[in-house]
Amino acid sequence: MFRTAILSIALVGLSTSFVSQAEAAGGEGPKLNDNKILNVSHRGASGYAPEHTIASYELGEEMKGDYIEVDLQMTKDGELIAMHDETLDRTTNGTGLVKDYTLAEIKQLDAGSWFNEKYPEKAKPEYAGLKVPTLEEVIQHFGKDERYYIETKSPDVYPGMEEELLEILEEYNLLGPNAPSSKVLIQSFSPESLKKVHQLNPDVPLVQLISYKKPATITDEQINEYKKYAVGLGMSYTKIDQDYVQKVRSHGLLIHPYTVNEKEDMQRLLEWGVTGMFTNYPDRLREVIKSHN
């Protein structure tokens, strides 16, 4: 079901984690406070529980992650669900493409038993039979007290994904004049998807994900292009070095590498100057950040 309401959204009441940048020349939207190191629960606390389930998200919240990361796919009937892959095979007992199944069909699947089978040392009986949540169900469960770091996955496969996402966020008062504060970051590997969101609502903070096959390099021209619509960049921590981090930071962009699970790597990245990172173990990152401060 697609929503057709006109998306004319103005972000107000920004929380202390956001500051508004109202430059007459640039007209840039909100920027995250770069003094705050973000601890992003990657697919929830997915080192301990089945990724992209309510159980994993709850654990991320308990471990004091600053944001829940929600990857989005879209069902045959236009519903946004929390799932990393375009296919059902890896994290459910189903098979095939998400886009070929209705939400009702996907709701019949088991999204937790695979974790128990793959990680028997972390298995819990309650993980068996967990369901794939919709974005709306995640928001309904955690409400406005939680922060959401949402990724549009494969947006070229799902026409209308961005409009649907913004409409849901507005409906639950996470954007717009009734929002008590900004609680949402949107990221994507697709510049086109982010530019579309920016066009629909220039006040939503966006993060451009970049995939590097080799050690990362970036030019001033590339950074300036990203700055036209994004407040930050994200990439694999294994591809960057201190010079890369400092160059991105010197241009006023935030940098949130993924997926950092070992404390030594976390510590090194903090020393390099990153402004946050994604981790399957938010409890570990919390300890490292506390000792770093």
Side-chain angles (χ1 to χ4, degrees), residues 6-280:
I6 297 174
L7 293 166
S8 178
I9 305 169
L11 221 67
V12 298
L14 298 176
S15 73
T16 54
S17 291
F18 291 82
V19 293
S20 179
Q21 184 170 351
E23 298 181 30
E28 295 182 50
K31 294 196 71 172
L32 282 167
N33 178 358
D34 57 10
N35 291 318
K36 168 72 171 175
I37 306 298
L38 297 187
N39 180 351
V40 185
S41 301
H42 182 243
R43 311 178 194 176
S46 56
Y48 301 105
E51 65 182 64
H52 290 315
T53 60
I54 296 296
S56 184
Y57 296 148
E58 284 180 337
L59 201 53
E61 187 178 53
E62 289 173 22
M63 292 178 174
K64 307 299 182 183
D66 295 310
Y67 281 78
I68 287 174
E69 186 212 15
V70 184
D71 292 321
L72 295 181
Q73 305 287 342
M74 186 177 267
T75 65
K76 185 178 181 179
D77 48 346
E79 296 289 348
L80 295 177
I81 63 169
M83 185 171 289
H84 180 272
D85 300 356
E86 283 183 54
T87 57
L88 300 165
D89 303 63
R90 184 175 63 85
T91 57
T92 77
N93 61 338
T95 185
L97 295 168
V98 172
K99 70 181 183 67
D100 292 336
Y101 291 87
T102 65
L103 177 62
E105 291 169 331
I106 290 173
K107 281 293 186 182
Q108 300 303 308
L109 301 177
D110 180 338
S113 291
W114 70 271
F115 183 89
N116 287 349
E117 294 164 8
K118 187 172 182 179
Y119 305 105
E121 73 282 4
K122 300 177 182 179
K124 292 186 178 181
E126 59 265 32
Y127 292 163
L130 289 176
K131 301 302 180 185
V132 175
T134 65
L135 175 62
E136 287 197 71
E137 287 170 342
V138 175
I139 294 172
Q140 288 167 356
H141 186 87
F142 293 98
K144 290 187 227 174
D145 290 337
E146 188 53 81
R147 299 180 183 278
Y148 306 96
Y149 207 132
I150 300 172
E151 180 176 349
T152 59
K153 303 290 290 187
S154 308
D156 54 317
V157 176
Y158 307 115
M161 171 181 267
E162 295 84 3
E163 289 90 342
E164 180 76 357
L165 168 58
L166 288 175
E167 182 66 16
I168 289 171
L169 295 175
E170 185 183 40
E171 181 177 324
Y172 287 93
N173 295 327
L174 290 165
L175 303 175
N178 295 322
S181 61
S182 177
K183 297 286 187 179
V184 176
L185 274 164
I186 297 175
Q187 64 176 348
S188 185
F189 282 101
S190 168
E192 294 75 23
S193 183
L194 292 182
K195 288 175 182 177
K196 186 175 184 180
V197 172
H198 188 68
Q199 184 178 24
L200 291 166
N201 182 352
D203 295 313
V204 179
L206 308 175
V207 173
Q208 178 66 62
L209 293 169
I210 309 171
S211 178
Y212 290 105
K213 303 297 184 187
K214 301 176 181 178
T217 60
I218 195 164
T219 66
D220 292 343
E221 291 74 22
Q222 289 171 321
I223 292 176
N224 289 332
E225 183 61 31
Y226 293 137
K227 284 185 69 174
K228 291 179 181 178
Y229 59 90
V231 302
L233 305 177
M235 70 296 296
S236 172
Y237 82 96
T238 64
K239 296 294 192 288
I240 60 175
D241 58 19
Q242 185 168 6
D243 288 342
Y244 183 98
V245 173
Q246 291 301 315
K247 184 168 188 176
V248 171
R249 295 292 298 118
S250 70
H251 284 264
L253 283 174
L254 305 175
I255 183 167
H256 299 157
Y258 62 83
T259 304
V260 193
N261 292 328
E262 301 303 327
K263 287 186 174 183
E264 311 85 73
D265 296 322
M266 295 171 180
Q267 184 64 43
R268 184 176 69 256
L269 288 164
L270 290 177
E271 291 169 358
W272 286 356
V274 304
T275 53
M277 61 192 88
F278 292 79
T279 180
N280 298 339

